Amino acid sequence: MAQAFAATVGAWALKVEGALQAIFQESAQELVGQLDQLLVDMVYAQPQPAGYTRTGFLRASFMASTTAMPQLTRDGPGISVPPTSARWS
C-alpha cells in the first residue's frame, strides 16, 4: 500500500508544475520540526546536570538551505589559537 501511495504521489508530482519543489520544501520543514522536537525531548526537557549550563548553541547552530550548502559567515567566537610551537607528549 505504501508503494502504491508513493507511486501515486510521484506521478502527480511529475505532472504538476512546481510540485517537486513544494514537496521538497515541505519535507525539509517537517524534518527540521521533528529534529527540533527530538532535541527538546532528549536534551532540554531533561533535568540539567549540576555544574552544567545549557547555552542553546546546539539548537541555534542548525543551518539549512534549499539552494546551496550553508556557509559559515564569520569566524567562530572565542580566542584565536596560535600555531602550535610545542609538541604534545
Side-chain angles (χ1 to χ4, degrees):
M1 179 139 180
Q3 290 177 341
F5 176 74
T8 302
V9 171
W12 171 81
L14 292 174
K15 286 193 261 182
V16 177
E17 186 177 338
L20 288 176
Q21 184 70 22
I23 291 169
F24 169 72
Q25 289 177 336
E26 184 64 30
S27 298
Q29 290 175 355
E30 178 67 24
L31 177 62
V32 169
Q34 289 181 12
L35 286 171
D36 188 53
Q37 187 59 52
L38 188 61
L39 183 62
V40 167
D41 294 344
M42 293 182 70
V43 177
Y44 296 110
Q46 302 300 319
Q48 184 169 313
Y52 176 77
T53 302
R54 291 199 176 114
T55 61
F57 288 161
L58 176 62
R59 194 174 190 186
S61 66
F62 184 79
M63 293 191 301
S65 173
T66 59
T67 58
M69 179 64 83
Q71 301 292 316
L72 296 177
T73 57
R74 63 185 175 112
D75 292 335
I79 300 169
S80 61
V81 177
T84 305
S85 59
R87 299 275 179 224
W88 292 87
S89 50

